[in-house]
């Protein structure tokens, strides 16, 4: 099934000037990773306390794009200039789920019906990333199978924010969107586990 993750190589090519400039100024991949996480937490806190303000729904999709760029930059920076590290691996995986949680939790305030659907969405997102990491432990290959992988979730949240920005009454139906997305995440968990088992056999 198609995932935005498949566009990552082309996206990384577009970011090469930024990568080269960061390396020139001695910025490390871990610094980019930590910065992305801190910005995610700050944005999530702003969202939580301003969920009823229109301006926050301009910030969220813009930041989701910036975060996707930073997530791509740290990886390219590490690989191109041989700056990979064991610490970087831990930071990359842990900060992703921390960032997702910080950015998604405020939607419990926006979702009028069955706000627990957001918690289900967050929980399955974390399990999905854990499945990808465990696949690497068993087979040596990190799994990024879609649908509704990390990039897809960021895109979904961005689209929802844009719709809310234009005051389209989406709130009563948000729980349906999050439940549908959760079903897709459950499917990608299955694919990642199955893929990891097949690669290790």
């Amino acid at each position: 099934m198609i995932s935005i993750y498949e566009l990552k190589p082309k996206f990384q090519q577009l970011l090469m000037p930024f990568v080269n400039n960061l390396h020139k100024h001695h910025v490390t991949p871990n610094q980019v990773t930590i910065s992305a996480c801190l910005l995610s937490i700050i944005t999530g806190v702003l969202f939580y306390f301003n969920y009823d303000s229109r301006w926050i729904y301009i910030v969220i999709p813009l930041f989701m794009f910036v975060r996707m760029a930073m997530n791509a930059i740290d990886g390219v920076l590490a690989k191109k200039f041989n700056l990979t590290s064991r610490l970087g691996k831990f930071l990359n995986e842990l900060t992703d789920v921390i960032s997702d949680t910080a950015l998604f939790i405020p939607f419990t305030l926006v979702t009028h019906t069955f706000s627990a659907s957001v918690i289900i969405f967050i929980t399955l997102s974390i399990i999905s990333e854990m499945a990808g990491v465990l696949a690497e432990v068993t087979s040596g290959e990190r799994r990024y199978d879609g649908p509704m992988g990390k990039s897809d979730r960021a895109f979904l949240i961005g689209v929802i924010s844009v719709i809310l920005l234009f005051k389209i009454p989406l709130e009563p139906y948000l729980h349906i969107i999050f439940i549908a997305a959760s079903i897709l995440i459950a499917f990608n968990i299955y694919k990642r586990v199955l893929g990891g088992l097949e690669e290790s056999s």
Side-chain angles (χ1 to χ4, degrees), residues 115-161:
S115 58
S117 61
V118 180
I119 302 301
I120 295 170
F121 176 76
I122 294 171
T123 302
L124 287 174
S125 297
I126 294 172
I127 295 172
S128 171
E129 297 312 306
M130 184 184 297
V133 173
L134 288 174
E136 184 175 18
V137 172
T138 58
S139 69
E141 181 183 351
R142 173 64 157 89
R143 304 292 305 191
Y144 294 98
D145 305 73
M148 208 47 63
K150 180 172 62 178
S151 299
D152 301 322
R153 296 192 296 268
F155 180 76
L156 174 66
I157 295 301
V159 170
I160 289 173
S161 299

Side-chain angles (χ1 to χ4, degrees), residues 23 29 76-85:
H23 180 66
V76 176
L77 192 60
K79 291 177 182 178
K80 182 177 180 180
F81 298 103
N82 195 28
L83 296 171
T84 56
S85 66

Side-chain angles (χ1 to χ4, degrees), residues 37-52 55-56 59-60 63 98-99 101-106 109:
C37 184
L38 291 175
L39 287 172
S40 296
I41 293 171
I42 292 170
T43 304
V45 170
L46 285 174
F47 185 14
Y48 189 87
F49 289 105
N50 297 276
Y51 71 93
D52 55 351
W55 63 268
I56 196 65
V59 172
I60 294 299
F63 178 71
I98 292 170
S99 298
T101 302
L103 291 164
F104 299 163
I105 276 182
L109 303 176

Side-chain angles (χ1 to χ4, degrees), residues 13-31:
Q13 290 177 4
L14 294 174
L15 295 171
M16 286 309 300
F18 297 99
V19 172
N20 293 330
N21 191 50
L22 288 173
H23 180 66
K24 180 180 177 182
H25 288 87
H26 309 290
V27 176
T28 68
N30 290 351
Q31 288 173 336

Side-chain angles (χ1 to χ4, degrees), residues 131-200:
V133 173
L134 288 174
E136 184 175 18
V137 172
T138 58
S139 69
E141 181 183 351
R142 173 64 157 89
R143 304 292 305 191
Y144 294 98
D145 305 73
M148 208 47 63
K150 180 172 62 178
S151 299
D152 301 322
R153 296 192 296 268
F155 180 76
L156 174 66
I157 295 301
V159 170
I160 289 173
S161 299
V162 170
I163 292 173
L164 293 174
L165 170 64
F166 289 102
K167 295 186 178 296
I168 297 173
L170 185 64
E171 293 89 341
Y173 310 103
L174 275 177
H175 69 289
I176 298 174
I177 294 173
F178 282 114
I179 290 171
S182 296
I183 292 171
L184 292 176
I185 296 172
F187 182 50
N188 91 36
I189 293 170
Y190 169 76
K191 287 180 64 180
R192 291 180 184 197
V193 171
L194 185 63
L197 290 173
E198 290 177 346
E199 289 290 335
S200 60

